[in-house]
Amino acid sequence: MGTVVSLTVASSIYAQTAVDELESAVEVVEGIFAHLDLTFSLYRTGSEASRLARGEITLAYTSETMQELYAEASEWRLATEGAFTAERPDGILDLSGIVKAHAMREAALSLRALGLGNWCLNAGGDVLASGSPGPTAHEPWLAGVVDPLDRRSLLGAFPLASMNALATSGSAERGEHIWAIGGAPPEFAQVSVGASDIVTADVLATAIVAGGTRTLDQAVEKWGADVLAVRRDGTLLATPEFRNAA
């Protein structure tokens, strides 16, 4: 997926046990991301996604995971009224807008299966957290939101409490890679979304970049998401949770 993944595990147990626990967790997370990358990467010529793009296979003959994520992406396309889509303008199916979040979702299930309750997973700036980093359960993990106009600065630190997932989309890191509705340049340079699950956060962040203010309003009203959107001139639109975090 061409992204850096980091995992932080908070533990109060004996040091060596904590190290073993972390090593097991990292191994599980690495395995999930590596497997999905082999399937969905359009940069790997032999991946299932690349073979599908070249027309060597059809969707009906792809893996169960490919079909399930395509179905999920299609549901999001309908729900966001086309603001989120897995079809590129050239017609190629590109599930990268949902597969990273899916990998994080799967990693969370595996970490919980290992008995880990306090951890924070960061995949290319998208963050999913569980529990607390400190000795008290009331202390939330904090996820920093970088200023797209000055990458050395933060716009704020979002607390991952009831909303335990934060995803950011825009042009600051990867250039113009989101297909805006109507073909015009996106209204927002960067959008961060806090939600109760990482797929919702990631999809809505991308959808708001593509759909603009109308989709932002829909994300807040329909999904109860927290949103911080940065316009190209640097002005901000923020829901209360983000305003309190700034």
Side-chain angles (χ1 to χ4, degrees):
M1 278 167 273
T3 191
V4 175
V5 180
S6 63
L7 174 66
T8 302
V9 176
S11 179
S12 59
I13 60 178
Y14 178 66
Q16 185 56 52
T17 303
V19 169
D20 294 341
E21 190 177 71
L22 179 59
E23 288 178 346
S24 298
V26 168
E27 184 178 351
V28 167
V29 171
E30 283 182 340
I32 290 170
F33 275 84
H35 173 71
L36 289 170
D37 186 56
L38 289 172
T39 302
F40 290 94
S41 174
L42 287 168
Y43 297 100
R44 294 180 178 273
T45 57
S47 72
E48 192 173 53
S50 292
R51 294 177 61 210
L52 183 62
R54 292 193 299 267
E56 296 174 5
I57 55 175
T58 62
L59 187 63
Y61 292 94
T62 58
S63 65
E64 182 178 351
T65 303
M66 176 72 75
Q67 294 184 42
E68 287 177 350
L69 283 187
Y70 173 76
E72 187 171 4
S74 297
E75 291 172 359
W76 276 111
R77 179 176 185 170
L78 291 173
T80 61
E81 299 176 8
F84 178 86
T85 177
E87 284 78 26
R88 297 190 332 199
D90 59 8
I92 290 177
L93 178 65
D94 185 352
L95 289 166
S96 60
I98 196 170
V99 69
K100 180 175 69 172
H102 170 71
M104 296 176 74
R105 177 174 60 189
E106 291 296 299
L109 292 174
S110 295
L111 291 172
R112 290 171 184 136
L114 289 173
L116 299 176
N118 301 301
W119 49 263
C120 184
L121 179 63
N122 185 319
D126 294 344
V127 185
L128 179 62
S130 175
S132 170
T136 67
H138 301 294
E139 180 182 353
W141 294 93
L142 295 176
V145 179
V146 173
D147 185 343
L149 305 182
D150 181 2
R151 307 302 295 169
R152 298 167 298 179
S153 302
L154 292 179
L155 294 175
F158 184 76
L160 297 169
S162 59
M163 298 295 194
N164 68 338
L166 178 72
T168 299
S169 291
S171 58
E173 289 285 351
R174 296 174 52 197
E176 300 291 355
H177 65 285
I178 297 174
W179 320 304
I181 293 176
E187 175 184 352
F188 299 116
Q190 179 175 287
V191 173
S192 298
V193 173
S196 58
D197 73 274
I198 190 61
V199 172
T200 298
D202 200 17
V203 166
L204 292 181
T206 300
I208 293 169
V209 173
T213 303
R214 179 172 178 272
T215 306
L216 188 159
D217 292 340
Q218 181 190 39
V220 174
E221 294 170 6
K222 187 173 181 178
W223 288 280
D226 290 312
V227 181
L228 175 62
V230 186
R231 287 199 170 102
R232 291 178 175 272
D233 63 1
T235 57
L236 306 178
L237 292 179
T239 53
E241 191 69 31
F242 273 105
R243 288 199 295 269
N244 294 336

